[in-house]
Amino acid sequence: MRKRLIESAMIVFAQRGIGASVIPDVIAAAGVSQGSFYNYFRTNDDLLAAVSDALSHDMVQMIESVVGNIEDPALRVATGIRLYLHLARSYPVVAQFLSGTGLSLVGKKSAVYEHLPSDIKEGLKRGTFDDASADVALDMVAGAGLIAVHRMAKGRTTRDYPERIVQAVLRSIGVPASSAAQLTSAPLPKLVPPPESPLEKAKEKLAAKTEPSNLSA
């Protein structure tokens, strides 16, 4: 029941943002009673926190399964951002949710800040990145990623858009253009959601809501 509510809430938040009162819409989308809903969540904020936690957990688990064993910090950063952007492209509900919630999710407790700081600090220590503030570099990476997701959620982008964004980010923190191009050229593995992830269900529900009706008028 809780998982079904989170799946439905992910879609509703993605479509309406976090400013509106979404509880009635989530109850209707999940097909549960009001009493059942309040057994799990009391407020919009409780619901948003649960969706954010579930999404962050799944994204971190998928991305870290690939980048966790990469030794080069620049390659870890490049691959991690590319995977993040391609994940948003593969799962429109993710792009729409992140775009709709905006900067409220890019805080010190977000998935963005869970692994990137250590990678950036290591890159600065090795001289791979410019000798600048780690916080500034981190904000540039996080900000560019959020804007890129917003653009992908709102309109069509070129196939190589994620790679072009990552190259620009790497160059902005001191990586030479030729190295940035090389770091973003390797094929990426397909990301597989963890078992029981709400991502696949939410993706299916969103597709069902947006596909044209086959019924004749």
Side-chain angles (χ1 to χ4, degrees):
M1 177 74 72
R2 187 176 189 275
K3 186 174 72 171
R4 190 197 312 175
L5 288 168
I6 289 175
E7 292 165 2
S8 299
M10 191 180 297
I11 295 171
V12 175
F13 277 126
Q15 295 176 330
R16 298 191 58 190
I18 62 174
S21 177
V22 301
I23 290 176
D25 295 317
V26 172
I27 290 173
V32 302
S33 68
Q34 190 175 40
S36 295
F37 175 88
Y38 284 108
N39 284 334
Y40 296 93
F41 306 106
R42 305 303 302 176
T43 66
N44 264 25
D45 288 343
D46 290 344
L47 191 58
L48 178 62
V51 174
S52 300
D53 287 347
L55 183 58
S56 294
H57 174 271
D58 288 356
M59 292 180 73
V60 167
Q61 187 170 336
M62 284 188 280
I63 293 172
E64 277 300 303
S65 69
V66 175
V67 304
N69 294 322
I70 297 176
E71 182 178 352
D72 178 12
L75 184 57
R76 278 203 306 272
V77 170
T79 305
I81 305 172
R82 289 176 67 202
L83 288 170
Y84 175 82
L85 295 179
H86 281 284
L87 181 64
R89 172 174 279 174
S90 299
Y91 291 87
V93 67
V94 172
Q96 291 180 22
F97 179 78
L98 294 175
S99 176
T101 50
L103 290 173
S104 63
L105 291 187
V106 188
K108 296 300 182 183
K109 294 183 180 180
S110 72
V112 171
Y113 286 86
E114 188 169 344
H115 297 280
L116 271 176
S118 59
D119 294 338
I120 289 175
K121 288 178 181 178
E122 185 178 348
L124 290 169
K125 183 178 180 180
R126 292 190 183 191
T128 305
F129 305 143
D130 272 345
D131 186 14
S133 165
D135 287 339
V136 171
L138 181 60
D139 289 344
M140 292 178 68
V141 172
L146 181 61
I147 293 299
V149 168
H150 180 77
R151 182 178 292 277
M152 290 192 294
K154 299 303 180 183
R156 297 180 63 181
T157 55
T158 60
R159 176 180 291 185
D160 65 343
Y161 178 72
E163 281 64 43
R164 290 167 59 196
I165 286 290
V166 176
Q167 287 179 32
V169 169
L170 291 173
R171 292 173 65 183
S172 74
I173 57 177
V175 178
S178 58
S179 298
Q182 184 176 4
L183 288 167
T184 58
S185 63
L188 291 174
K190 181 179 179 180
L191 293 177
V192 179
E196 304 301 318
S197 169
L199 279 176
E200 284 293 340
K201 288 291 185 181
K203 181 180 180 180
E204 293 170 5
K205 289 180 179 179
L206 182 62
K209 286 171 67 70
T210 56
E211 66 183 6
S213 173
N214 292 324
L215 298 177
S216 58

